[in-house]
């Protein structure tokens, strides 16, 4: 015969699944807190524009699609804490990006796609235009393309007789503090493209754009070699993370 205790015990255990199911349903109905934040941030971007958002929030917006099921604010802030600026985040190597918690290989690669797209847009601003009249756009492009490279690159901008950009080429890639440059090859390529003028550009991964003695001597060698064939060297620009140097502006050439 069942006792009162037995009835109480059966009643207790029969209620457990019902309560657990109710709690599970409530948890499923509750949206993650970051979803509302994403909607609000998108609305601010749409209504006020990008200038109303600090770098970390712009980076959050970018990460929304790359990391769809997580709070991206800590990831964005960690990226900026590590690399400094939004430009430096996009310019960082894939391997270093993946050192940040929440950034896997796929997300790191997508960030580099965004960086490449930005560089292509910047190059479009100067291609075919009179470069000397679009100097700031030229500097912006060179900085986006080279400022955050881990190794030195030697880039040449080839111009026609109207100083419009014919081609932009990386001729050499070197080490963290040296790039071999051959004046004969520079002039040869200019002749192949029928360029009448060139602008030399290279980066200093150290961040300091101050020209070295070797930079100055190499530039003068190229100027002499090009002059013999009627090719002008308008400038040699050195790009650093925090700025740039113009050898012409510094009266070094």
């Amino acid at each position: 015969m069942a006792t009162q205790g037995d009835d109480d015990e059966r009643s207790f255990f029969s209620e457990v699944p019902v309560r657990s199911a109710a709690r599970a349903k409530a948890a499923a109905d509750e949206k993650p807190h970051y979803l509302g934040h994403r909607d609000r941030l998108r609305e601010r971007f749409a209504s006020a524009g990008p200038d109303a958002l600090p770098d970390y929030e712009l980076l959050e917006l970018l990460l929304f699609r790359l990391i769809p099921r997580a709070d991206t604010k800590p990831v964005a802030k960690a990226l900026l804490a590590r690399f400094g600026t939004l430009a430096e985040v996009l310019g960082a190597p894939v391997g270093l990006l993946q050192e940040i918690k929440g950034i896997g290989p796929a997300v790191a690669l997508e960030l580099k796609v965004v960086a490449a797209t930005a560089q292509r847009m910047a190059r479009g601003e100067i291609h075919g235009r009179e470069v000397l009249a679009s100097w700031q756009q030229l500097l912006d492009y060179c900085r986006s393309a080279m400022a955050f490279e881990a190794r030195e690159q030697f880039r040449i901008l080839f111009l026609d007789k109207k100083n419009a950009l014919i081609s932009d080429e990386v001729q050499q890639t070197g080490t963290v503090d040296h790039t071999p440059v051959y004046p004969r090859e520079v002039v040869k390529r200019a002749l192949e493209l029928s360029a009448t003028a060139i602008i030399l550009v290279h980066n200093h991964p150290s961040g300091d754009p101050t020209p070295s003695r070797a930079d100055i001597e190499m530039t003068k060698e190229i100027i002499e070699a090009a002059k013999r064939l009627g090719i002008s060297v308008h400038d040699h620009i050195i790009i650093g993370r925090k700025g740039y140097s113009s050898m012409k502006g510094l009266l070094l050439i």
Side-chain angles (χ1 to χ4, degrees):
M1 184 176 72
T3 66
Q4 181 64 38
D6 292 334
D7 291 339
D8 291 343
E9 186 174 324
R10 283 195 297 270
S11 175
F12 172 79
F13 283 108
S14 67
E15 291 176 359
V16 171
V18 176
R19 292 175 181 172
S20 297
R23 284 196 296 269
K25 185 178 185 302
D29 291 339
E30 184 180 349
K31 293 182 179 180
H33 70 90
Y34 58 80
L35 293 182
H37 171 66
R38 291 185 174 199
D39 291 339
R40 290 190 297 272
L41 200 53
R42 289 191 182 101
E43 289 172 3
R44 282 178 53 208
F45 180 86
S47 61
D51 290 342
L53 276 63
D55 279 1
Y56 83 89
E57 289 186 332
L58 278 176
L59 190 52
E60 274 191 84
L61 281 172
L62 176 59
L63 292 171
F64 285 170
R65 292 185 178 276
L66 306 182
I67 310 174
R69 296 180 182 86
D71 184 359
T72 59
K73 181 185 288 187
V75 182
K77 289 191 172 182
L79 284 166
L80 289 169
R82 171 68 182 277
F83 299 108
T85 67
L86 182 56
E88 287 174 301
V89 170
L90 296 178
V94 168
L96 293 183
L97 288 171
Q98 291 183 61
E99 292 180 2
I100 302 300
K101 184 178 179 181
I103 302 295
V107 175
L109 182 60
E110 289 296 325
L111 288 174
K112 300 309 296 182
V113 170
V114 172
T117 303
Q119 290 173 16
R120 191 71 58 87
M121 290 175 63
R123 184 168 64 188
E125 291 293 318
I126 61 171
H127 190 78
R129 298 187 181 185
E130 206 277 287
V131 170
L132 300 183
S134 307
W135 195 248
Q136 188 57 52
Q137 287 94 330
L138 172 67
L139 294 174
D140 290 343
Y141 165 64
C142 291
R143 189 168 186 272
S144 69
M146 305 176 71
F148 308 107
E149 288 290 331
R151 297 188 295 170
E152 277 198 10
Q153 287 184 350
F154 183 72
R155 182 182 296 267
I156 308 173
L157 307 179
F158 298 94
L159 313 178
D160 64 15
K161 62 183 179 181
K162 295 183 179 180
N163 286 322
L165 182 65
I166 299 172
S167 183
D168 158 35
E169 298 179 2
V170 175
Q171 191 183 65
Q172 297 287 341
T173 299
T175 64
V176 294
D177 59 3
H178 175 69
T179 305
V181 178
Y182 307 100
R184 180 181 299 179
E185 295 300 317
V186 174
V187 175
K188 177 184 176 183
R189 184 57 178 155
L191 292 173
E192 290 173 350
L193 294 171
S194 299
T196 58
I198 58 176
I199 296 174
L200 310 175
V201 190
H202 84 277
N203 63 308
H204 280 179
S206 67
D208 181 4
T210 304
S212 67
R213 182 177 297 275
D215 292 336
I216 298 168
E217 292 175 354
M218 175 266 291
T219 304
K220 290 180 177 179
E221 290 178 11
I222 293 175
I223 290 173
E224 287 302 315
K227 186 178 180 180
R228 299 188 191 103
L229 296 170
I231 300 169
S232 301
V233 178
H234 286 325
D235 205 343
H236 186 168
I237 302 168
I238 301 175
I239 301 292
R241 293 191 177 189
K242 304 301 181 182
Y244 73 95
S245 291
S246 160
M247 286 198 186
K248 186 174 182 179
L250 293 171
L251 304 179
L252 296 174
I253 59 174

